Amino acid sequence: MENSKAALIVALVLFGAGFGMFANGLQIFLTRYFRAPFSGKPVQGKLARLSGGLMVGAGILGVGYSGYLFWTKIILVL
């Protein structure tokens, strides 16, 4: 039971992080614009679209893995 509680916490954190990454990446991908984290310089065009696409992919993987964890470690154990 303790293992499923830890898996639930990890799955919820992964879902939240994955969904946030997906939403932010989708915004960057569609607008083709964001500001660089440390320098604050604008990034536009193909590099922004590539970065947004990578973030969308990482978000999908995070949400998918959280679903896998939820199904295998919580539902099937109960």
Side-chain angles (χ1 to χ4, degrees):
M1 190 66 177
E2 291 296 321
N3 215 3
S4 63
K5 285 182 184 178
L8 177 63
I9 291 170
V10 169
L12 287 174
V13 168
L14 270 175
F15 180 79
F19 187 75
M21 186 89 106
F22 176 79
N24 196 11
L26 191 62
Q27 177 204 4
I28 290 171
F29 184 79
L30 293 177
T31 62
R32 288 178 282 185
Y33 175 82
F34 72 98
R35 291 199 170 273
F38 297 112
S39 66
K41 295 179 182 175
V43 178
Q44 297 176 336
K46 289 182 182 178
L47 182 61
R49 184 156 276 195
L50 174 68
S51 300
L54 289 174
M55 286 179 70
V56 166
I60 290 171
L61 285 175
V63 169
Y65 190 67
S66 72
Y68 166 78
L69 269 180
F70 184 75
W71 182 255
T72 59
K73 303 293 183 190
I74 297 166
I75 300 297
L76 295 179
V77 171
L78 298 176

